[in-house]
Amino acid sequence: MQCFGACGRVLLVSVAFVAIFVASFVQPASSANILGVFLSPSPSHLIVHMSVVKALAEKGHNVTVVTLLKPKIYHENITNILIPPTETDQAKYESWVAELSNGKSNILHGLVVLLTTNRVKIDMQFEAYVDKRFTALYENRDNQFDVAILGYALNYYQLAVGAKFNCPIIVSWVQQPMEGVNALVGNPREISYVTTLMNAKATGEAWNFGKRLENYLFGTILKGVTLIIDHLMSGYYSKLTAVEPNLPTFEAMKRNVSLVFCNSHYSEGPIRPLTPATVLIGGIQIKEKPDALPKNIANFLAASQKNGAILFSLGSNIKDSHIKPEILQIIYKVLSSLKQNVIWKWENLANTPGNASNILYQKWLPQDDILAQPNLRLFITHAGAGGIAESTFHGVPMVAIPIFADQPTNSKKIVLEGFGVEVDFDQLTERAFRNAISEVLTNPSYANKVKAFSRLYRDRPMSARRSVVYWTEYVIRHRGAAHMQSPLVKMNYIQSANLDVYLLILATLFVVFKLLHLAWRYLWSKVFDEKIAKKPKEK
Ligand SMILES: *[C@@H]1O[C@H](CO)[C@@H](O)[C@H](O)[C@H]1NC(C)=O
Ligand SMILES: *[C@@H]1O[C@H](CO)[C@@H](O)[C@H](O)[C@H]1NC(C)=O
Ligand SMILES: *[C@@H]1O[C@H](CO)[C@@H](O)[C@H](O)[C@H]1NC(C)=O
């Protein structure tokens, strides 16, 4: 009888343990609600951010994303709130891209134009951020988010979502850590050996005086631009607080970032110290295994076994109409005369540059899946960061035709690393273009170097996808990551450079020196005066 009760309890407890044990294996980590705010009007940015949340949806989380553009990456458990820009804004944005692509341009010029004559890239994001379709999301009290991921691009007043939903914030940035995101997580500014965006240098090189001076000057200009941007962002944040006075200060929101995901990997350089809150997820947009190609592309590539194939794309920002007709004719003439087959990203299929049989025009193409094909021999690219990452991941050498923004710098890097050659877009000549293509196709050094890099880039303890899942769940589990925030985030320039301490030491040294000097003069005058006092007697 006694045994009955005791044994029953033991049995119950054991069953409970077994149940918990089994459950812990069968059930996925509990599903979190995740918000993505991806309002950048750049399609290549959206691909990176969507790849981040796709990894989370695949892990079983419930993801809601707010976007300006219709994402090309989908998942059943990603709900998209689409807030397209007004037609006027879209037209302004396109004319801005067209203007930049026609002039010789670098990131600095692009930024100056953006911040002065054409602020549409910033304004269209702000309009979407205060749009009813988005605000409805937080006005509905039933919506609870465990973490919000913000796609960073001239929009960090949007860090306010962390306060709106009372949830931790992760920032997603499409490139290597730079000035703006470094400030959010306290990465030290290492100007004597870490490149600024405008100033590509080969990795691993210790710079001489000239290079350090150049980097310092570029870095200072960039710092200035960053301060101007910060001032602008603060202005937009004030517009938010004007409507919602209970929002914390902008400074407080900037100190509230748990992690930054940067779409880069240290094998790309520069080698530099990063805080643990900087998580490198380089190549997140690249599939570990390519998807099957659309039938027409698969057939076209299958027919390219003998001479191999070339992919030509100027990216998603540049429309066909942005390319000058004479440049287009040169490109067509050279590509149509090659023995390789060419896949050409071209929007207007009703009006193509020409009908050569070795060219397949595609309005939209699965670039990553195409670059993964073994008979792809060359990628002719505008040197956007995303395309370069895919090309280097798959070990395909490049001919770069940089147009604007960060592309000229990316392109210099391709040349420096020996992954390909560069041609000038505005002054493109038939000869230069033909020579560039022929050089990369016939000299094996480019393919060898990029393939060697590919092996290093892929060799990691955790894939980019797994890093995203691990670190996002980490932030959710601990309700943020304040414990690993660098104190630098809360320090001003004087404190972080220790200037006040140096000043005190200098002042102390000065006072001590002054006192010693006075004491010495006093003693000396004592001795000297006595001598003088004695001397006149002898004379
Ligand atoms: C989407 O979420 C539901 C509910 O959590 C889950 O049952 C389903 O498997 C998810 N779909 C995918 C493709 O992961
Ligand atoms: C997913 O998140 C949205 C937004 O918070 C919410 O409305 C929806 O109910 C969630 N779905 C599930 C299955 O939890
Ligand atoms: C290419 O072919 C299309 C349809 O066959 C034709 O309308 C067009 O004029 C051709 N273009 C050129 C440049 O020959």
Side-chain angles (χ1 to χ4, degrees):
M1 278 292 135
Q2 246 184 355
C3 176
F4 185 76
C7 296
R9 242 173 284 140
V10 168
L11 190 69
L12 257 175
V13 169
S14 328
V15 167
F17 265 118
V18 169
I20 290 168
F21 186 72
V22 170
S24 66
F25 278 92
V26 174
Q27 277 189 346
S30 68
S31 163
N33 279 336
I34 296 171
L35 173 67
V37 184
F38 307 145
L39 296 176
S40 164
S42 157
S44 60
H45 284 205
L46 190 57
I47 287 175
V48 171
H49 304 319
M50 286 303 294
S51 306
V52 166
V53 288
K54 188 174 180 191
L56 294 164
E58 277 168 357
K59 183 72 198 309
H61 297 298
N62 176 25
V63 180
T64 306
V65 294
V66 189
T67 65
L68 211 63
L69 308 175
K70 200 168 161 48
K72 294 214 169 80
I73 291 175
Y74 311 98
H75 188 273
E76 173 184 79
N77 289 347
I78 300 183
T79 311
N80 180 207
I81 299 172
L82 182 67
I83 309 176
T86 60
E87 275 175 27
T88 348
D89 276 356
Q90 186 59 33
K92 267 201 214 161
Y93 177 67
E94 277 171 21
S95 76
W96 171 66
V97 174
E99 185 187 335
L100 289 185
S101 54
N102 281 334
K104 187 113 189 98
S105 182
N106 59 25
I107 186 161
L108 183 63
H109 174 243
L111 269 170
V112 169
V113 172
L114 179 64
L115 297 177
T116 53
T117 53
N118 198 340
R119 277 209 205 156
V120 65
K121 187 172 172 182
I122 306 181
D123 285 333
M124 67 209 290
Q125 296 196 57
F126 187 78
E127 281 156 27
Y129 188 78
V130 294
D131 189 281
K132 281 265 174 309
R133 284 162 282 189
F134 184 21
T135 54
L137 200 63
Y138 50 77
E139 275 153 16
N140 177 357
R141 299 263 158 229
D142 294 339
N143 284 324
Q144 302 249 319
F145 291 102
D146 299 290
V147 66
I149 303 178
L150 172 63
Y152 184 98
L154 294 168
N155 59 6
Y156 55 93
Y157 56 86
Q158 294 173 11
L159 289 170
V161 290
K164 292 264 82 179
F165 293 107
N166 189 23
C167 68
I169 283 261
I170 295 177
V171 164
S172 170
W173 166 240
V174 294
Q175 278 193 15
Q176 56 166 272
M178 55 66 171
E179 200 78 50
V181 298
N182 285 342
L184 297 174
V185 286
N187 285 325
R189 194 155 183 269
E190 300 289 342
I191 201 76
S192 64
Y193 62 98
V194 177
T195 50
T196 65
L197 281 184
M198 285 178 283
N199 189 18
K201 297 272 189 303
T203 52
E205 183 195 353
W207 296 341
N208 60 22
F209 178 77
K211 285 186 179 168
R212 279 182 289 120
L213 181 65
E214 188 191 3
N215 199 57
Y216 180 81
L217 294 177
F218 274 132
T220 306
I221 295 171
L222 199 62
K223 182 89 193 166
V225 173
T226 312
L227 291 177
I228 297 171
I229 292 175
D230 201 57
H231 179 71
L232 268 178
M233 292 298 120
S234 172
Y236 284 94
Y237 195 86
S238 303
K239 287 192 194 178
L240 297 180
T241 45
V243 191
E244 302 160 70
N246 328 338
L247 276 181
T249 62
F250 188 37
E251 293 307 314
M253 287 323 296
K254 280 193 284 183
R255 289 197 292 264
N256 191 35
V257 173
S258 296
L259 295 178
V260 172
F261 287 147
C262 290
N263 188 20
S264 70
H265 184 246
Y266 58 78
S267 59
E268 298 162 277
I271 299 302
R272 55 164 304 162
L274 295 169
T275 56
T278 314
V279 179
L280 302 184
I281 55 160
I284 182 69
Q285 76 282 24
I286 305 170
K287 293 187 207 100
E288 280 148 36
K289 256 199 227 140
D291 287 341
L293 291 170
K295 225 183 173 98
N296 65 336
I297 298 180
N299 291 342
F300 189 71
L301 284 174
S304 316
Q305 289 305 348
K306 188 156 161 269
N307 295 315
I310 295 173
L311 176 61
F312 173 52
S313 165
L314 293 182
S316 40
N317 267 319
I318 301 297
K319 302 271 174 279
D320 308 343
S321 53
H322 297 160
I323 310 174
K324 288 185 217 146
E326 60 274 24
I327 301 277
L328 192 59
Q329 269 322 301
I330 291 172
I331 293 175
Y332 176 73
K333 197 166 169 197
V334 172
L335 294 184
S336 61
S337 70
L338 296 172
K339 33 180 221 253
Q340 284 77 20
N341 278 338
V342 180
I343 302 173
W344 184 333
K345 181 177 181 296
W346 183 259
E347 297 270 332
N348 184 356
L349 296 182
N351 185 13
T352 61
N355 292 335
S357 64
N358 73 325
I359 299 181
L360 173 70
Y361 297 97
Q362 280 291 120
K363 193 173 156 80
W364 183 79
L365 36 84
Q367 184 167 285
D368 180 19
D369 300 329
I370 295 174
L371 287 168
Q373 299 306 311
N375 57 356
L376 205 89
R377 302 262 315 273
L378 167 68
F379 181 31
I380 306 174
T381 170
H382 66 305
I388 295 177
E390 288 164 3
S391 203
T392 46
F393 185 88
H394 296 298
V396 178
M398 287 163 273
V399 167
I401 316 180
I403 300 174
F404 72 116
D406 58 333
Q407 298 157 12
T409 308
N410 298 342
S411 168
K412 282 200 196 79
K413 179 101 175 139
I414 292 177
V415 174
L416 269 170
E417 301 288 351
F419 298 161
V421 299
E422 177 184 49
V423 291
D424 190 305
F425 183 57
D426 291 313
Q427 265 101 53
L428 189 70
T429 63
E430 189 185 329
R431 219 176 92 157
F433 193 42
R434 196 181 292 283
N435 286 349
I437 293 175
S438 144
E439 167 71 7
V440 179
L441 285 175
T442 54
N443 182 343
S445 116
Y446 302 100
N448 290 344
K449 283 199 173 134
V450 74
K451 284 186 164 59
F453 170 81
S454 167
R455 287 190 291 272
L456 291 178
Y457 187 74
R458 290 166 180 240
D459 195 345
R460 310 180 192 186
M462 224 199 273
S463 71
R465 257 175 211 80
R466 289 195 52 198
S467 299
V468 162
V469 169
Y470 176 82
W471 284 106
T472 306
E473 290 181 347
Y474 180 92
V475 165
I476 294 171
R477 273 198 298 278
H478 303 290
R479 292 285 296 153
H483 57 284
M484 58 182 207
Q485 183 177 60
S486 165
L488 210 52
V489 172
K490 301 179 201 127
M491 293 160 79
N492 63 29
Y493 177 70
I494 291 176
Q495 295 165 328
S496 63
N498 233 7
L499 293 183
D500 42 1
V501 172
Y502 298 148
L503 196 69
L504 178 73
I505 291 175
L506 273 181
T508 313
L509 285 177
F510 181 75
V511 170
V512 168
F513 177 79
K514 210 64 194 166
L515 287 176
L516 283 175
H517 186 71
L518 282 176
W520 176 249
R521 275 204 15 208
Y522 176 75
L523 286 175
W524 181 256
S525 66
K526 276 266 167 205
V527 173
F528 198 65
D529 287 352
E530 273 166 29
K531 275 188 186 161
I532 289 175
K534 281 178 195 163
K535 270 180 189 168
K537 277 185 189 169
E538 283 168 19
K539 272 200 176 170

